[in-house]
Amino acid sequence: ETGVTQTPRHLVMGMTNKKSLKCEQHLGHNAMYWYKQSAKKPLELMFVYNFKEQTENNSVPSRFSPECPNSSHLFLHLHTLQPEDSALYLCASSRVAGGNTGELFFGEGSRLTVL
Amino acid sequence: AQTVTQSQPEMSVQEAETVTLSCTYDTSESDYYLFWYKQPPSRQMILVIRQEAYKQQNATENRFSVNFQKAAKSFSLKISDSQLGDAAMYFCAYIPPGTYKYIFGTGTRLKVLA
């Protein structure tokens, strides 16, 4: 298996539920990202991990909690979400060499619906 | 603030014809990178083409080419001989060197008409 894999592809949850999104990359990259994609809005960077260390938290509400146990895996833990959090959540990875100037490799995304 | 603007929410092109998607950006940096990404329906976003700002020559990848105008901060994508498989959302993106903060535009939905 190659590339960036995200599970689940679709998730419906109530506002009181706790769920997690998972991302796995098989490209040997060192940086991993979570983006939020909403209709008619630019992709919003949420979190960046470089060599398992969080290097970016773009003022994301605490109801979103990332976890990066190693360079190949990235999780996004969700709890007490709001309906406006419904969106497509994209995971991406990239190779890092002295600052990031390279291509992002994306997963297919997890479509989240909060009821 | 660094921003990326795609002023065309939707474009249509006849199969085999040429179409140009517009992108402008705002930055005070002199060195940076620009990208066009393609997101087909329900499929992964993939890189179409990449341009380094210090290179004056426009990047090309087969049927895809860019018109990079650094002074005007413009980075348009030209698709020649359009194919049905080119139908997708196209996102313009910018990143200053040494950072992880890719900045994306809102996207242009391209329809290819048979």
Side-chain angles (χ1 to χ4, degrees):
Chain A
E1 193 172 353
T2 59
V4 180
T5 304
Q6 290 186 243
T7 55
R9 293 292 310 281
H10 299 274
L11 179 62
V12 179
M13 58 188 289
M15 290 191 286
T16 58
N17 291 159
K18 288 185 179 181
K19 297 284 184 184
S20 296
L21 306 181
K22 178 183 175 182
C23 177
E24 185 174 359
Q25 60 97 0
H26 305 273
L27 300 168
H29 291 164
N30 299 315
M32 296 188 76
Y33 309 72
W34 280 116
Y35 279 92
K36 177 183 179 182
Q37 184 177 19
S38 306
K40 295 186 171 65
K41 294 176 69 174
L43 266 70
E44 298 175 50
L45 178 63
M46 300 176 72
F47 302 103
V48 182
Y49 279 82
N50 182 22
F51 290 96
K52 302 188 300 178
E53 299 297 320
Q54 188 179 120
T55 57
E56 193 72 36
N57 177 340
N58 209 24
S59 302
V60 180
S62 59
R63 56 185 184 270
F64 294 91
S65 174
E67 179 189 359
C68 189
N70 54 60
S71 292
S72 298
H73 294 86
L74 184 65
F75 296 88
L76 188 62
H77 304 299
L78 316 168
H79 62 100
T80 59
L81 294 190
Q82 305 298 311
E84 60 264 29
D85 297 324
S86 299
L88 182 67
Y89 289 85
L90 295 173
C91 175
S93 70
S94 69
R95 185 173 60 200
V96 178
N100 202 4
T101 59
E103 176 182 356
L104 286 173
F105 290 78
F106 286 89
E108 294 185 3
S110 293
R111 173 70 63 186
L112 173 66
T113 302
V114 182
L115 301 176
Chain B
Q2 296 162 339
T3 58
V4 174
T5 302
Q6 293 180 250
S7 59
Q8 306 153 317
E10 193 171 291
M11 293 281 286
S12 295
V13 63
Q14 206 70 35
E15 197 175 4
E17 297 295 309
T18 295
V19 65
T20 299
L21 308 183
S22 302
C23 173
T24 58
Y25 57 95
D26 188 20
T27 182
S28 57
E29 302 283 344
S30 59
D31 194 18
Y32 47 85
Y33 299 82
L34 296 163
F35 305 83
W36 278 99
Y37 282 88
K38 170 186 177 182
Q39 187 179 36
S42 301
R43 294 182 61 187
Q44 287 163 305
M45 194 176 308
I46 58 172
L47 179 68
V48 175
I49 201 163
R50 175 178 185 262
Q51 174 85 41
E52 291 98 335
Y54 64 86
K55 290 186 178 179
Q56 294 192 348
Q57 187 173 7
N58 289 326
T60 63
E61 287 288 340
N62 301 315
R63 298 181 296 106
F64 298 88
S65 62
V66 298
N67 182 4
F68 173 49
Q69 301 288 328
K70 191 172 183 179
K73 297 179 183 174
S74 171
F75 182 61
S76 60
L77 175 69
K78 185 171 86 170
I79 306 174
S80 304
D81 186 26
S82 297
Q83 302 175 359
L84 294 176
D86 294 333
M89 282 289 289
Y90 286 82
F91 293 92
C92 180
Y94 155 94
I95 185 171
T99 78
Y100 300 93
K101 288 193 174 185
Y102 290 84
I103 301 168
F104 285 82
T106 51
T108 296
R109 182 173 301 282
L110 179 65
K111 295 183 177 181
V112 181
L113 308 174

